[in-house]
Amino acid sequence: MTRPILVAGNWKMHLLADEADALAIEVALAAGELTGPDVAVFPSATLIGTVRAALDESRVTLGAQACHEAAKGAHTGETSAAMVADAGCTAMLAGHSERRAAGATDEQVGLRVRAGLDAGLRVIACLGEQLADREAEATNAVLDRQLTAILAEIDESDLASLDLAYEPVWAIGTGRTATPEIASEAHRHLRARMVEKFGESGNEPRILYGGSVKPANVSELLAAPGVGGVLVGGASLDGASFRALIEAAHTGRGS
Ligand code: PGA
């Protein structure tokens, strides 16, 4: 069965508790009224408790932005997948380009996907090329390298808890959005690799698009073949804007 469109807000290192509380309440209200798409928020680790309380009894999924690959240990400043699950998260991002830029290797991303799945979390594994990769026509090679490291850690039974997010790094936070054609092309490539590895089950995970998604462009991106949802940074930090994203997904598809 095809999963509903997912509208996911990555709040990055933004918001203090009062702001996160207010925004989560607005998102929960919008999700309650616009029931077509799945909705998820990814606040920073310190806000998980606050957002969990604000989302209580709503249908919004609460996720963490990252975790360490180890189950526990001497890793000052890090958070394990079991810890974020224990704090109330049911989902997690892995391999966001900002974590990769901070040093996460492909192999670590694979291990973090594994750690999240082992902790019972739904994992959105992020991948995408740099501008230089695209200019060198190496986009597919980079996606293959990143995906291979993720696939090395999972098997078919994990697909029920996995989604992917294609986020071209040159489009993140830059206001420069990939065209629907560029998004579709990358999604088609990733899907082909998934099906190559898993057969029919490789169609199960959604492939989200991320990178400067906003109310003005979300409908055309969601209409692009192969786009199963959006992972949104900047435009998810404002209640009215987040509602507009959910509304577009609700009226466009899946409602
Ligand atoms: P952006 O971020 O929407 O602000 O470009 C997207 C992301 O990093 O997930």
Side-chain angles (χ1 to χ4, degrees):
M1 212 182 81
T2 313
R3 294 177 193 163
I5 295 292
L6 171 60
V7 179
N10 173 10
W11 292 350
K12 306 192 178 183
M13 201 174 74
H14 291 289
L15 309 174
L16 297 178
D18 283 355
E19 299 162 318
D21 178 61
L23 180 55
I25 289 169
E26 284 190 74
V27 174
L29 269 173
E33 290 164 26
L34 304 160
T35 53
D38 284 350
V39 180
V41 295
F42 295 84
S44 61
T46 60
L47 298 173
I48 288 171
T50 300
V51 174
R52 179 189 191 176
L55 294 179
D56 191 30
E57 310 216 340
S58 85
R59 64 180 200 88
V60 179
T61 298
L62 172 59
Q65 295 175 9
C67 78
H68 195 275
E69 60 272 23
K72 61 167 85 165
H75 302 290
T76 302
E78 297 287 351
T79 312
S80 73
M83 285 172 177
V84 297
D86 187 46
C89 289
T90 57
M92 193 188 92
L93 302 178
H96 189 279
S97 69
E98 287 151 18
R99 304 293 303 176
R100 292 179 187 267
T105 63
D106 293 333
E107 189 194 3
Q108 277 174 315
V109 172
L111 293 172
R112 290 170 187 180
V113 169
R114 184 69 258 154
L117 294 167
D118 286 344
L121 300 170
R122 163 166 294 282
V123 175
I124 300 178
C126 308
L127 61 185
E129 82 286 2
Q130 310 268 347
L131 185 56
D133 302 325
R134 176 156 289 275
E135 286 173 350
E137 298 186 5
T139 297
N140 287 349
V142 169
L143 296 180
D144 285 347
R145 196 194 72 222
Q146 295 176 340
L147 186 63
T148 299
I150 293 163
L151 296 185
E153 299 298 329
I154 66 169
D155 60 34
E156 196 174 341
S157 65
D158 295 312
L159 297 178
S161 301
L162 183 76
D163 291 306
L164 302 177
Y166 168 63
E167 298 202 298
V169 179
W170 47 271
I172 294 179
T174 58
R176 189 176 163 189
T177 317
T179 60
E181 292 71 29
I182 289 177
S184 271
E185 199 180 306
H187 285 222
R188 199 167 39 242
H189 181 79
L190 290 168
R191 183 66 73 200
R193 287 283 179 266
M194 293 295 285
V195 169
E196 203 173 280
K197 164 109 181 173
F198 298 110
E200 199 42 43
S201 317
N203 287 309
E204 273 185 59
R206 285 173 286 215
I207 306 178
L208 315 184
Y209 168 77
S212 297
V213 176
K214 44 189 182 281
N217 61 23
V218 66
S219 295
E220 63 169 15
L221 287 162
L222 284 175
V227 175
V230 283
L231 179 56
V232 187
S236 74
L237 289 169
D238 172 79
S241 164
F242 205 138
R243 171 182 280 268
L245 298 169
I246 301 170
E247 198 154 12
H250 177 78
T251 49
R253 299 219 321 251
S255 54

